[in-house]
Amino acid sequence: MPRKSFEHITLKKTDFKNQHSDYTTREHEDFIAGIAPNLRGSNATMYITKPWVIIQNASFSSAEENNAFYRKNVEAGLKELFVAFDLATQNGYDSDHERAQSDVGKAGVAIDSVEDMKVLFDTIPLDEISISLPMNKTILPILAFYIVAAEEQGFELHQLSGTFQNDVLKEITSRNTDNYTPSPSMKIIADIFEYTKNKMPKFNAISISDDHLQEAGATAEIELAYMLAEGLEHIKKNIETGISMDRIAPKLSFFWAIGMDHFTEIAKLRAARMLWAKIVNQFNPKDQKSLALKIHCQTSSWSLTAQDPFNNVARTTIEAMAAVFGGTESLHINTFDEAIASPTDFSAQLALNTQLFLQQETQITKTVDPWAGSFHLEKLTEEIAHNAWTLNKEIEDLGGMTKAIEKGIPQVRIEEAAVKKQARIDSGKDLIVGVNSYPLKHEDSLPIKNDNNEALRKTQIERLHFLKANRNTLEVQKSLENITNSAKSGNENLLEQAVIAARERATLGEISDALAIVFGRH
């Protein structure tokens, strides 16, 4: 007898020879790529007509170094750039702040003002190149700097394309950090949606991110459940502001981490598309594109090892293949040396070439959903979907993701999973080659990139002093007061006010502090 799944879709009984199981599943032929629920892929032909977009990260410490990297890769044909920001920028501190002393230029580029942003994108054709800005806590000043830099370099806002990560809920859930508490953070996100919906139509206003969930120890089911719960939260918040369902959903992008559990990661992406279509469908969208989940993937940072690091080349390749088999629309491969230091030109080129090998030498792009019909993959897809839906319902019963985070429930679930994962590694049940399995007795030294933090910080401070000496102090102060007043009243668009402040050359730290007067710091 057919039975009903949690999606209210009839599941057909299928007999698998030599399988000692009464498992029942849908025939994979019942689903077509490009048609909701998009289990088999986001479009009908997938990579046959358009391979996934290749993205390469740049993690250099200065705007000048990053710009040189961008120019070289744009000339080589790269169409999307991913910007990594240093720790001081991520935390809302200017380079001259005492708390930023050891963080300037670490893990990414230092950006203190619109002048740094102009150097970062100097001569880059922003009307042709898509830009990914993975910033969460200080998205307002960073986005304002990007907008003003683009305008002053001669581009219209409607020409710009890319994605803002802007996932503050993830920051609180997996890293227990954010500049502000969940409620004001959601206000910031809503204002970004409002600003970009007409002025920047080619931009995805938010990329809901999974990478730190996985790094914190979340299982695939937890990742999937909480990512989709966050997506639902953003839909509801923006509908409350008067933005229609069909304006919100196509602007949401999901950023997935892909680890070493190969088949689970493939199933996770297939299940994600299916569940997202179910979530969005409850709002009765008129545009079928609203039901499609936009997927970007990055190979796992957690799986990279400092021990015997060349093993990471194989790890990232296996993870990249899982992302491709799962149907990602864009992909970023980590470099093998990122567990030790910032990428070198050599390691960055190797990561880029890995994607080129997969696209051009393997014939992977010649088929749609290549694992469709596999007993193991279809069964795993449905199991992950069921488990994730149960966790998702727990969040909804608590009143949504924001309230669940305030109660600490997602944090507890992730911590429980992390403890179990670490116990398996410590006991040897989960093996990591080169770490707790087949460790080398002797390792040759690896050439690494050494960033001169002190020299860069000195340069950044000199730029800040010059900036402040040559701006209109009264206009800067007025623009910052307007940001604070807007945060108090809730009546003005905070991004609009941040853009005004950026034009007056207010710094990242000043804009962050103006918001913190009202929102505090989390």
Side-chain angles (χ1 to χ4, degrees), residues 331-343:
L331 177 61
H332 162 215
I333 292 182
N334 290 327
T335 61
F336 71 86
D337 52 0
E338 284 186 40
I340 303 171
S342 297

mmCIF file with all atom_site columns, all heavy atoms in Angstrom, residues 331-343:
data_model
loop_
_atom_site.group_PDB
_atom_site.id
_atom_site.type_symbol
_atom_site.label_atom_id
_atom_site.label_alt_id
_atom_site.label_comp_id
_atom_site.label_asym_id
_atom_site.label_entity_id
_atom_site.label_seq_id
_atom_site.pdbx_PDB_ins_code
_atom_site.Cartn_x
_atom_site.Cartn_y
_atom_site.Cartn_z
_atom_site.occupancy
_atom_site.B_iso_or_equiv
_atom_site.pdbx_formal_charge
_atom_site.auth_seq_id
_atom_site.auth_comp_id
_atom_site.auth_asym_id
_atom_site.auth_atom_id
_atom_site.pdbx_PDB_model_num
ATOM 1   N N   . LEU A 1 331 ? 30.588 27.459 -6.412 1.00 0.00 ? 331 LEU A N   1
ATOM 2   C CA  . LEU A 1 331 ? 31.450 26.658 -5.538 1.00 0.00 ? 331 LEU A CA  1
ATOM 3   C C   . LEU A 1 331 ? 32.760 27.386 -5.257 1.00 0.00 ? 331 LEU A C   1
ATOM 4   O O   . LEU A 1 331 ? 33.357 27.990 -6.148 1.00 0.00 ? 331 LEU A O   1
ATOM 5   C CB  . LEU A 1 331 ? 31.756 25.301 -6.199 1.00 0.00 ? 331 LEU A CB  1
ATOM 6   C CG  . LEU A 1 331 ? 32.706 24.340 -5.478 1.00 0.00 ? 331 LEU A CG  1
ATOM 7   C CD1 . LEU A 1 331 ? 32.160 23.941 -4.122 1.00 0.00 ? 331 LEU A CD1 1
ATOM 8   C CD2 . LEU A 1 331 ? 32.962 23.102 -6.345 1.00 0.00 ? 331 LEU A CD2 1
ATOM 9   N N   . HIS A 1 332 ? 33.177 27.314 -3.997 1.00 0.00 ? 332 HIS A N   1
ATOM 10  C CA  . HIS A 1 332 ? 34.466 27.841 -3.563 1.00 0.00 ? 332 HIS A CA  1
ATOM 11  C C   . HIS A 1 332 ? 35.215 26.710 -2.873 1.00 0.00 ? 332 HIS A C   1
ATOM 12  O O   . HIS A 1 332 ? 34.699 26.091 -1.937 1.00 0.00 ? 332 HIS A O   1
ATOM 13  C CB  . HIS A 1 332 ? 34.251 29.024 -2.607 1.00 0.00 ? 332 HIS A CB  1
ATOM 14  C CG  . HIS A 1 332 ? 35.451 29.368 -1.787 1.00 0.00 ? 332 HIS A CG  1
ATOM 15  N ND1 . HIS A 1 332 ? 35.348 29.831 -0.494 1.00 0.00 ? 332 HIS A ND1 1
ATOM 16  C CD2 . HIS A 1 332 ? 36.782 29.315 -2.058 1.00 0.00 ? 332 HIS A CD2 1
ATOM 17  C CE1 . HIS A 1 332 ? 36.561 30.052 -0.007 1.00 0.00 ? 332 HIS A CE1 1
ATOM 18  N NE2 . HIS A 1 332 ? 37.439 29.750 -0.926 1.00 0.00 ? 332 HIS A NE2 1
ATOM 19  N N   . ILE A 1 333 ? 36.423 26.422 -3.344 1.00 0.00 ? 333 ILE A N   1
ATOM 20  C CA  . ILE A 1 333 ? 37.252 25.372 -2.755 1.00 0.00 ? 333 ILE A CA  1
ATOM 21  C C   . ILE A 1 333 ? 38.322 26.017 -1.877 1.00 0.00 ? 333 ILE A C   1
ATOM 22  O O   . ILE A 1 333 ? 39.054 26.910 -2.325 1.00 0.00 ? 333 ILE A O   1
ATOM 23  C CB  . ILE A 1 333 ? 37.917 24.504 -3.842 1.00 0.00 ? 333 ILE A CB  1
ATOM 24  C CG1 . ILE A 1 333 ? 36.851 23.689 -4.579 1.00 0.00 ? 333 ILE A CG1 1
ATOM 25  C CG2 . ILE A 1 333 ? 38.959 23.576 -3.242 1.00 0.00 ? 333 ILE A CG2 1
ATOM 26  C CD1 . ILE A 1 333 ? 37.409 22.765 -5.649 1.00 0.00 ? 333 ILE A CD1 1
ATOM 27  N N   . ASN A 1 334 ? 38.426 25.566 -0.632 1.00 0.00 ? 334 ASN A N   1
ATOM 28  C CA  . ASN A 1 334 ? 39.458 26.068 0.263  1.00 0.00 ? 334 ASN A CA  1
ATOM 29  C C   . ASN A 1 334 ? 40.839 25.591 -0.185 1.00 0.00 ? 334 ASN A C   1
ATOM 30  O O   . ASN A 1 334 ? 40.971 24.516 -0.778 1.00 0.00 ? 334 ASN A O   1
ATOM 31  C CB  . ASN A 1 334 ? 39.212 25.589 1.695  1.00 0.00 ? 334 ASN A CB  1
ATOM 32  C CG  . ASN A 1 334 ? 38.003 26.239 2.322  1.00 0.00 ? 334 ASN A CG  1
ATOM 33  O OD1 . ASN A 1 334 ? 37.695 27.393 2.032  1.00 0.00 ? 334 ASN A OD1 1
ATOM 34  N ND2 . ASN A 1 334 ? 37.311 25.509 3.178  1.00 0.00 ? 334 ASN A ND2 1
ATOM 35  N N   . THR A 1 335 ? 41.843 26.367 0.135  1.00 0.00 ? 335 THR A N   1
ATOM 36  C CA  . THR A 1 335 ? 43.202 25.948 -0.179 1.00 0.00 ? 335 THR A CA  1
ATOM 37  C C   . THR A 1 335 ? 43.716 24.983 0.888  1.00 0.00 ? 335 THR A C   1
ATOM 38  O O   . THR A 1 335 ? 43.261 24.999 2.026  1.00 0.00 ? 335 THR A O   1
ATOM 39  C CB  . THR A 1 335 ? 44.148 27.164 -0.261 1.00 0.00 ? 335 THR A CB  1
ATOM 40  O OG1 . THR A 1 335 ? 44.165 27.833 1.008  1.00 0.00 ? 335 THR A OG1 1
ATOM 41  C CG2 . THR A 1 335 ? 43.679 28.135 -1.332 1.00 0.00 ? 335 THR A CG2 1
ATOM 42  N N   . PHE A 1 336 ? 44.686 24.161 0.493  1.00 0.00 ? 336 PHE A N   1
ATOM 43  C CA  . PHE A 1 336 ? 45.145 23.101 1.394  1.00 0.00 ? 336 PHE A CA  1
ATOM 44  C C   . PHE A 1 336 ? 45.886 23.640 2.615  1.00 0.00 ? 336 PHE A C   1
ATOM 45  O O   . PHE A 1 336 ? 46.013 22.952 3.625  1.00 0.00 ? 336 PHE A O   1
ATOM 46  C CB  . PHE A 1 336 ? 46.036 22.113 0.640  1.00 0.00 ? 336 PHE A CB  1
ATOM 47  C CG  . PHE A 1 336 ? 47.391 22.650 0.255  1.00 0.00 ? 336 PHE A CG  1
ATOM 48  C CD1 . PHE A 1 336 ? 48.460 22.590 1.138  1.00 0.00 ? 336 PHE A CD1 1
ATOM 49  C CD2 . PHE A 1 336 ? 47.604 23.215 -0.995 1.00 0.00 ? 336 PHE A CD2 1
ATOM 50  C CE1 . PHE A 1 336 ? 49.710 23.082 0.786  1.00 0.00 ? 336 PHE A CE1 1
ATOM 51  C CE2 . PHE A 1 336 ? 48.841 23.706 -1.362 1.00 0.00 ? 336 PHE A CE2 1
ATOM 52  C CZ  . PHE A 1 336 ? 49.909 23.648 -0.472 1.00 0.00 ? 336 PHE A CZ  1
ATOM 53  N N   . ASP A 1 337 ? 46.374 24.897 2.553  1.00 0.00 ? 337 ASP A N   1
ATOM 54  C CA  . ASP A 1 337 ? 47.187 25.429 3.644  1.00 0.00 ? 337 ASP A CA  1
ATOM 55  C C   . ASP A 1 337 ? 46.418 26.351 4.592  1.00 0.00 ? 337 ASP A C   1
ATOM 56  O O   . ASP A 1 337 ? 47.006 26.981 5.463  1.00 0.00 ? 337 ASP A O   1
ATOM 57  C CB  . ASP A 1 337 ? 48.402 26.171 3.083  1.00 0.00 ? 337 ASP A CB  1
ATOM 58  C CG  . ASP A 1 337 ? 48.038 27.211 2.032  1.00 0.00 ? 337 ASP A CG  1
ATOM 59  O OD1 . ASP A 1 337 ? 46.829 27.361 1.721  1.00 0.00 ? 337 ASP A OD1 1
ATOM 60  O OD2 . ASP A 1 337 ? 48.951 27.882 1.503  1.00 0.00 ? 337 ASP A OD2 1
ATOM 61  N N   . GLU A 1 338 ? 45.092 26.443 4.435  1.00 0.00 ? 338 GLU A N   1
ATOM 62  C CA  . GLU A 1 338 ? 44.327 27.412 5.225  1.00 0.00 ? 338 GLU A CA  1
ATOM 63  C C   . GLU A 1 338 ? 44.240 27.063 6.709  1.00 0.00 ? 338 GLU A C   1
ATOM 64  O O   . GLU A 1 338 ? 43.888 27.908 7.519  1.00 0.00 ? 338 GLU A O   1
ATOM 65  C CB  . GLU A 1 338 ? 42.919 27.581 4.640  1.00 0.00 ? 338 GLU A CB  1
ATOM 66  C CG  . GLU A 1 338 ? 42.913 28.418 3.375  1.00 0.00 ? 338 GLU A CG  1
ATOM 67  C CD  . GLU A 1 338 ? 41.519 28.718 2.874  1.00 0.00 ? 338 GLU A CD  1
ATOM 68  O OE1 . GLU A 1 338 ? 40.628 29.001 3.703  1.00 0.00 ? 338 GLU A OE1 1
ATOM 69  O OE2 . GLU A 1 338 ? 41.306 28.669 1.651  1.00 0.00 ? 338 GLU A OE2 1
ATOM 70  N N   . ALA A 1 339 ? 44.545 25.827 7.081  1.00 0.00 ? 339 ALA A N   1
ATOM 71  C CA  . ALA A 1 339 ? 44.578 25.475 8.507  1.00 0.00 ? 339 ALA A CA  1
ATOM 72  C C   . ALA A 1 339 ? 45.850 25.998 9.175  1.00 0.00 ? 339 ALA A C   1
ATOM 73  O O   . ALA A 1 339 ? 45.961 25.954 10.405 1.00 0.00 ? 339 ALA A O   1
ATOM 74  C CB  . ALA A 1 339 ? 44.484 23.965 8.688  1.00 0.00 ? 339 ALA A CB  1
ATOM 75  N N   . ILE A 1 340 ? 46.774 26.504 8.356  1.00 0.00 ? 340 ILE A N   1
ATOM 76  C CA  . ILE A 1 340 ? 48.063 26.950 8.877  1.00 0.00 ? 340 ILE A CA  1
ATOM 77  C C   . ILE A 1 340 ? 48.236 28.456 8.751  1.00 0.00 ? 340 ILE A C   1
ATOM 78  O O   . ILE A 1 340 ? 48.670 29.134 9.684  1.00 0.00 ? 340 ILE A O   1
ATOM 79  C CB  . ILE A 1 340 ? 49.212 26.231 8.137  1.00 0.00 ? 340 ILE A CB  1
ATOM 80  C CG1 . ILE A 1 340 ? 49.055 24.710 8.272  1.00 0.00 ? 340 ILE A CG1 1
ATOM 81  C CG2 . ILE A 1 340 ? 50.570 26.694 8.653  1.00 0.00 ? 340 ILE A CG2 1
ATOM 82  C CD1 . ILE A 1 340 ? 49.998 23.932 7.403  1.00 0.00 ? 340 ILE A CD1 1
ATOM 83  N N   . ALA A 1 341 ? 47.879 28.997 7.568  1.00 0.00 ? 341 ALA A N   1
ATOM 84  C CA  . ALA A 1 341 ? 48.111 30.420 7.308  1.00 0.00 ? 341 ALA A CA  1
ATOM 85  C C   . ALA A 1 341 ? 47.228 30.863 6.158  1.00 0.00 ? 341 ALA A C   1
ATOM 86  O O   . ALA A 1 341 ? 46.450 30.072 5.607  1.00 0.00 ? 341 ALA A O   1
ATOM 87  C CB  . ALA A 1 341 ? 49.585 30.653 6.974  1.00 0.00 ? 341 ALA A CB  1
ATOM 88  N N   . SER A 1 342 ? 47.345 32.128 5.785  1.00 0.00 ? 342 SER A N   1
ATOM 89  C CA  . SER A 1 342 ? 46.626 32.637 4.626  1.00 0.00 ? 342 SER A CA  1
ATOM 90  C C   . SER A 1 342 ? 47.117 31.922 3.372  1.00 0.00 ? 342 SER A C   1
ATOM 91  O O   . SER A 1 342 ? 48.287 31.527 3.286  1.00 0.00 ? 342 SER A O   1
ATOM 92  C CB  . SER A 1 342 ? 46.840 34.148 4.482  1.00 0.00 ? 342 SER A CB  1
ATOM 93  O OG  . SER A 1 342 ? 46.327 34.840 5.596  1.00 0.00 ? 342 SER A OG  1
ATOM 94  N N   . PRO A 1 343 ? 46.258 31.755 2.359  1.00 0.00 ? 343 PRO A N   1
ATOM 95  C CA  . PRO A 1 343 ? 46.672 31.044 1.141  1.00 0.00 ? 343 PRO A CA  1
ATOM 96  C C   . PRO A 1 343 ? 47.831 31.739 0.428  1.00 0.00 ? 343 PRO A C   1
ATOM 97  O O   . PRO A 1 343 ? 47.931 32.962 0.423  1.00 0.00 ? 343 PRO A O   1
ATOM 98  C CB  . PRO A 1 343 ? 45.405 31.073 0.277  1.00 0.00 ? 343 PRO A CB  1
ATOM 99  C CG  . PRO A 1 343 ? 44.288 31.297 1.227  1.00 0.00 ? 343 PRO A CG  1
ATOM 100 C CD  . PRO A 1 343 ? 44.843 32.141 2.326  1.00 0.00 ? 343 PRO A CD  1
#
